[in-house]
């Protein structure tokens, strides 16, 4: 079953961050999709199952405030450049 892409046309704001990393694509995928709590998400808050169509959630904490992040996996490809959920579908293959 095809997962419909969300219509974000009423949200004109965007942010793009590019960073070259000295790691193979699979290591970056693992860090963002499988091990987010080890370096970014607040401990005990990540709920992620690496399966297209499933929802994900995690929180970050800064200066005593909680910041929730949530979405849905639309595309997963461990052997390609990492694209956070909801980002443009123009990632380049690296690794």
């Amino acid at each position: 079953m095809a997962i419909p892409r969300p219509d974000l046309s009423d949200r004109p704001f965007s942010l793009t961050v590019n960073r070259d990393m000295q790691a193979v694509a699979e290591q970056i995928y693992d860090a963002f999709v499988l091990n987010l709590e080890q370096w970014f998400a607040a401990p005990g808050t990540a709920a992620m199952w690496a399966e297209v169509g499933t929802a994900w959630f995690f929180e970050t904490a800064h200066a005593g405030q909680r910041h929730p992040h949530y979405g849905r996996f639309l595309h997963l490809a461990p052997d390609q450049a990492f694209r956070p959920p909801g980002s443009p579908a123009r990632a380049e293959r690296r690794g």
Side-chain angles (χ1 to χ4, degrees):
M1 178 174 96
I3 303 296
R5 297 249 179 234
D7 179 6
L8 303 176
S9 60
D10 64 339
R11 299 187 221 170
F13 303 104
S14 67
L15 171 69
T16 301
V17 176
N18 294 310
R19 179 173 181 124
D20 290 326
M21 297 186 173
Q22 298 299 314
V24 296
E26 289 87 354
Q27 291 172 316
I28 296 170
Y29 174 92
D30 286 351
F32 276 90
V33 177
L34 304 177
N35 301 306
L36 198 64
E37 277 188 13
Q38 292 181 9
W39 66 277
F40 187 65
T45 66
M48 292 186 173
W49 294 268
E51 184 178 324
V52 172
T54 62
W56 55 263
F57 173 86
F58 67 90
E59 289 182 350
T60 56
H62 179 71
Q65 293 187 343
R66 297 169 34 195
H67 304 279
H69 304 271
Y70 51 90
R72 179 171 44 127
F73 286 114
L74 301 177
H75 174 82
L76 291 166
D79 62 337
Q80 296 178 7
F82 177 73
R83 273 195 337 246
S87 65
R90 54 183 175 82
E92 300 173 16
R93 180 176 172 81
R94 297 181 185 183

